[in-house]
């Protein structure tokens, strides 16, 4: 492995919370970030469909030169990680769910609340992953369907956001949980609002830190630190660049648009890469 670029993907802006964690450890890491803006949100879609998107995106990222894959998406990690590892046995493929379960189990062996999209909740991915780490722990899962649309539009504060956050925290708080797993990569951007609405001893687990540790452990000093990072979307978005730059804490470069082939789960490097000044 030499000059390894990391392919990172999500349905939209959420994976930038994972990129933020990666850049905080290695600001020079070269990534190709893919946001499937043609299909966001993933969390309301059937698992089988998201699995197809995720595997298609991985094919694209590898064709573009990625040598390791970081699935910065819980829904994809829930439905596509095993298949991706089976199909690509020679490259590191890291998801976020096992990472989140491990980090949460270090903080509580008693009660763990998981906030996630409907699809991730339905997949049972966190239930299995937490049970593997801490078999006797009680897991309180709450689906938070309002969060992704709010975050995609850049809304992190205000009464609508607070109402949605209160509603989603309540089941975990009622059960007495002190540890909340952010089971969707969009959710770390709501942590400041969540902190306001929770007792001060509440811990929020962002699986990104553990997942980043894992991918860096597997790519080590082979990581490409010279090539500029690229950010690719499957459909134009007027908000991605300004909101994403705010979320990432640094200006995003020009975005590339690579559309899906009609009726096919394929992204064609040859067809795409038209630069979009968004
Ligand atoms: N951010 C993704 C996740 O972690 C997907 C959210 C969505 O598009 O519903 O699950």
């Amino acid at each position: 492995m030499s000059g390894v670029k990391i392919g990172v993907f999500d349905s939209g802006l959420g994976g930038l919370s994972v990129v933020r964690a990666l850049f905080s450890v290695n600001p020079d890491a070269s990534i190709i970030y893919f946001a499937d803006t043609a299909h966001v949100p993933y969390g309301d879609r059937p698992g089988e469909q998201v699995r197809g998107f995720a595997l298609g995106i991985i094919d694209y990222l590898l064709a573009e030169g990625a040598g390791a894959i970081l699935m910065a998406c819980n829904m994809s990690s829930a439905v596509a990680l095993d298949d991706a590892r089976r199909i690509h046995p020679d490259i590191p493929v890291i998801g976020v769910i096992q990472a989140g379960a491990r980090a949460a189990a270090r903080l509580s062996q008693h009660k763990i609340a998981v906030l996630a999209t409907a699809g991730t909740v339905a997949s049972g991915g966190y239930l299995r992953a937490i049970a593997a780490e801490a078999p006797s722990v009680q897991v309180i899962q709450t689906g938070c369907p309002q969060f992704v649309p709010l975050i995609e539009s850049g809304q992190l504060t205000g009464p609508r956001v607070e109402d949605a956050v209160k509603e989603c925290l309540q089941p975990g708080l009622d059960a007495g949980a002190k540890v909340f797993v952010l089971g969707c990569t969009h959710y770390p951007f709501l942590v400041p609002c969540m902190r306001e609405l929770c007792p001060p001893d509440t811990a929020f687990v962002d699986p990104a830190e553990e997942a980043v540790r894992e991918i860096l452990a597997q790519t080590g000093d082979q990581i490409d630190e010279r090539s500029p990072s690229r950010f690719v979307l499957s459909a134009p978005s007027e908000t991605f660049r300004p909101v994403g730059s705010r979320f990432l804490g640094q200006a995003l470069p020009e975005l590339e648009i690579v559309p899906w082939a009609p009726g096919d789960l394929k992204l064609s490097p040859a067809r795409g890469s038209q630069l979009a000044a968004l």
Side-chain angles (χ1 to χ4, degrees):
M1 244 194 266
S2 84
V4 176
K5 286 190 194 45
I6 302 179
V8 186
F9 71 93
D10 181 39
S11 60
L13 289 160
L16 294 180
S17 67
V18 182
V19 175
R20 186 177 64 176
L22 172 64
F23 285 174
S24 76
V25 180
N26 185 346
D28 300 320
S30 170
I31 67 162
I32 309 172
Y33 184 89
F34 190 93
D36 193 4
T37 42
H39 296 131
V40 64
Y42 274 4
D44 302 334
R45 292 177 180 274
E48 194 49 32
Q49 189 183 39
V50 174
R51 181 180 157 278
F53 296 153
L55 296 177
I57 292 167
I58 292 171
D59 283 348
Y60 168 77
L61 291 169
L62 297 178
E64 290 296 289
I69 298 292
L70 179 52
M71 288 191 176
C73 172
N74 289 262
M75 181 67 185
S76 303
S77 304
V79 298
L81 182 65
D82 292 344
D83 284 335
R85 285 182 169 160
R86 188 175 45 73
I87 296 167
H88 305 288
D90 300 332
I91 56 152
V93 182
I94 301 296
V96 278
I97 291 187
Q98 281 157 356
R102 240 191 330 271
R106 282 200 291 267
L107 295 179
S108 175
Q109 293 281 316
H110 184 45
K111 285 178 188 171
I112 295 175
V114 175
L115 306 176
T117 63
T120 297
V121 168
S123 76
Y126 269 101
L127 296 181
R128 287 189 294 277
I130 293 174
E133 298 292 329
S136 60
V137 83
Q138 181 192 347
V139 181
I140 305 102
Q141 294 199 99
T142 306
C144 312
Q146 313 95 310
F147 284 5
V148 168
L150 288 168
I151 295 163
E152 281 289 320
S153 67
Q155 289 182 72
L156 305 182
T157 56
R160 267 187 72 202
V161 175
E162 280 172 30
D163 288 349
V165 168
K166 259 189 218 145
E167 193 182 318
C168 290
L169 290 173
Q170 210 54 54
L173 293 175
D174 288 347
K178 299 276 184 212
V179 174
F180 283 75
V181 180
L182 305 166
C184 168
T185 53
H186 283 74
Y187 299 177
F189 300 119
L190 286 179
V191 165
C193 177
M194 291 182 189
R195 284 201 196 287
E196 298 275 307
L197 299 166
C198 279
D201 57 347
T202 309
F204 295 98
V205 175
D206 182 351
E209 285 170 32
E210 182 82 10
V212 162
R213 254 197 300 279
E214 266 183 63
I215 195 99
L216 292 178
Q218 294 203 29
T219 49
D221 53 9
Q222 302 299 313
I223 200 159
D224 181 352
E225 295 178 338
R226 281 199 294 261
S227 313
S229 290
R230 295 168 51 198
F231 292 81
V232 185
L233 273 53
S234 56
S237 157
E238 287 190 1
T239 48
F240 193 94
R241 198 170 179 205
V243 177
S245 300
R246 178 155 66 87
F247 285 1
L248 192 57
Q250 65 184 68
L252 288 174
E254 262 188 324
L255 306 175
E256 300 168 43
I257 306 294
V258 176
W260 291 92
D264 200 355
L265 289 178
K266 285 219 178 322
L267 290 153
S268 160
R271 288 184 67 234
S273 293
Q274 118 215 20
L275 280 176
L278 294 170

